[in-house]
Amino acid sequence: MRVLTTETVPGHEIVESVGIARGNTVEARNVGRDITQSIRNITGGELKAYSELLTKARDEALERMVEDAEGLGADAVVNVRFETSEVTSGGAEVIAYGTAVRLA
């Protein structure tokens, strides 16, 4: 499955758009992580635990989007985008979406 942020797939012709493919996940912080990251927030620097949490969430959302595209019979997903939003205190949703297409 080709996954691209561009409108086209280099070297291939898009013959059909089969719909919007999407995948999402909601990840929550934990108390231990909050304590260590609060200290880091005071001293400065990257909040690595949160970076890792969001990376994991993006990977999961992307994987679910690909599964959705495969269910639509797509060969690729173009115009892929990510969005993140806070859905509750300490919990963030990450959604990946794009246009599922069939290639020639």
Side-chain angles (χ1 to χ4, degrees), residues 13-54:
E13 178 186 356
I14 295 173
V15 294
E16 183 181 6
S17 172
V18 294
I20 297 172
R22 59 191 169 273
N24 72 309
T25 186
V26 176
E27 294 286 333
R29 304 179 319 208
N30 67 42
V31 174
R33 189 176 285 149
D34 283 348
I35 292 169
T36 61
Q37 296 309 286
S38 294
I39 294 167
R40 171 72 65 181
N41 199 25
I42 293 168
T43 61
E46 180 183 5
L47 302 176
K48 289 185 181 185
Y50 291 149
S51 293
E52 291 168 3
L53 179 71
L54 286 173

Side-chain angles (χ1 to χ4, degrees), residues 56-101:
K56 177 181 173 273
R58 280 191 300 274
D59 290 345
E60 182 68 33
L62 188 63
E63 183 178 310
R64 290 178 180 177
M65 181 199 68
V66 168
E67 290 172 2
D68 190 39
E70 288 171 344
L72 294 169
D75 300 313
V77 183
V78 295
N79 287 324
V80 173
R81 303 290 183 261
F82 289 95
E83 289 190 26
T84 304
S85 61
E86 184 179 29
V87 294
T88 185
S89 178
E93 176 190 40
V94 175
I95 184 167
Y97 61 94
T99 304
V101 297

